[in-house]
Amino acid sequence: MFEIAPSILSADFTRLAEAIDAVKRGGARVLHVDVMDGHFVPNITIGLPVVRSLRKATDMTIDTHLMISEPGRYATEFVRAGADMVSVHVEVDHHLQRTLTAIRDEGAKAGIAINPATPIETLAEALPYADFVLLMSVNPGFGGQKFIPTMLDKLRRLRRMIDDMGLPVRIEIDGGIGKNNISDVVDAGAEILVAGSAVFDGGDPAAAVAELIESGTVWV
Ligand code: DX5
Ligand code: ZN
C-alpha cells in the first residue's frame, strides 16, 4: 500500500484551506509541509505558526519536512505545534539519535531525511530510532524539479537495507514524483509519495490526487 502526500509548497498560500479540502477529497490523508530556512537550503518557506494554523484546520496527518540547520533545536516544537510526522536531515543533525528519540517522546513519528548524494550507509545506526526515511529524489529547496533517475536504485537499496535489518521503517520519497514514475517508485519500495507540482500545477488538485493514486495502483 502507498499513499500520496501532497506538498503545500506548490499550493496558493492565500487559499490553503481550499487546497487542503481538495486534496482530501481526492483521497490524500497526509499533508506534506516543507519548512526551509534559507541556510540549509537556498529558499525560505514557512514555519511553526503555519503548522499551528494547519492543525486547527484539518484532521489530516501533518508531515513536516524540516530543511533547516540545527533541526534538533526545533523538532519537538513542530510536534507541539501539531505535526504528526517530523523529519530531520541526516546531513545537518550531529545528534540524530537524540532528535529522533525526542520527536517520538513528544508523540510524533520520527523521520530521517536524506539528500540525493548522501550514502544510505549514514542512516544505519539511527534507523532503529526512526519510523520513516524521507528519501530525496531531487536536491531540496524547490518544487517542480526533475526526478533524479539514479534515485530509483538508491530507493531499492534502502528498502533492502531496512528489510535486512528487520525494521518496520517506512520509506517516503520526495521530489519529481508524477504519474509517469509513480508505479516505479511504488515497485521499488516507497510507501509515502510526496507530490507538489503534480498535484497543484494543473488547477484541479482533487482530480490530480485521484489520478496519481490510480496510476500507482497495480491491479491484479
Ligand atoms: C523540495 C521539497 C518537496 C517539493 C516537492 O525541496 O522537499 O517536498 O515540494 O515538489 P515536486 O513534487 O514538485 O517535486
Ligand atoms: Zn519535502
Side-chain angles (χ1 to χ4, degrees):
M1 268 311 283
F2 74 96
E3 53 194 329
I4 301 292
S7 163
I8 60 166
L9 185 61
S10 293
D12 177 348
F13 280 173
T14 64
R15 297 163 69 191
L16 275 184
E18 283 168 49
I20 296 168
D21 282 349
V23 297
K24 201 177 169 186
R25 243 185 302 121
R29 292 183 305 152
V30 179
L31 200 62
H32 187 79
V33 180
D34 288 304
V35 178
M36 305 188 190
D37 66 352
H39 187 257
F40 174 58
V41 289
N43 196 4
I44 300 173
T45 56
I46 52 175
L48 290 161
V50 175
V51 174
R52 280 188 207 106
S53 298
L54 290 170
R55 182 69 293 157
K56 286 188 204 135
T58 184
D59 59 0
M60 288 179 77
T61 297
I62 296 179
D63 168 31
T64 51
H65 174 194
L66 304 190
M67 286 160 275
I68 61 175
S69 301
E70 294 189 72
R73 282 179 63 183
Y74 302 99
T76 53
E77 283 193 57
F78 278 89
V79 184
R80 287 194 289 274
D84 304 290
M85 297 166 67
V86 179
S87 57
V88 297
H89 270 265
V90 61
E91 297 84 6
V92 278
D93 197 336
H94 302 299
H95 309 287
L96 191 52
Q97 190 274 345
R98 181 164 68 197
T99 307
L100 296 169
T101 303
I103 293 168
R104 280 178 160 181
D105 286 350
E106 201 63 38
K109 301 283 186 211
I112 314 171
I114 178 168
N115 280 344
T118 306
I120 57 170
E121 287 70 24
T122 59
L123 302 174
E125 300 300 327
L127 278 176
Y129 306 95
D131 299 295
F132 67 102
V133 171
L134 193 169
L135 178 68
M136 289 306 303
S137 39
V138 299
N139 289 288
F142 303 94
Q145 302 182 75
K146 215 173 139 333
F147 183 89
I148 300 170
T150 51
M151 292 304 108
L152 203 53
D153 182 57
K154 185 179 186 184
L155 170 58
R156 282 190 205 101
R157 285 184 283 115
L158 176 62
R159 181 76 273 164
R160 204 176 316 132
M161 176 181 174
I162 291 169
D163 292 347
D164 286 349
M165 290 173 80
L167 294 168
V169 175
R170 303 178 80 199
I171 301 178
E172 177 172 22
I173 191 152
D174 186 4
I177 301 297
K179 59 179 185 223
N180 56 321
N181 57 14
I182 205 159
S183 57
D184 292 341
V185 296
V186 171
D187 267 0
E191 291 170 274
I192 307 168
L193 281 52
V194 177
S197 48
V199 168
F200 291 103
D201 282 7
D204 187 347
V209 170
E211 195 182 351
L212 287 172
I213 294 172
E214 173 86 25
S215 352
T217 308
V218 184
W219 301 103
V220 284

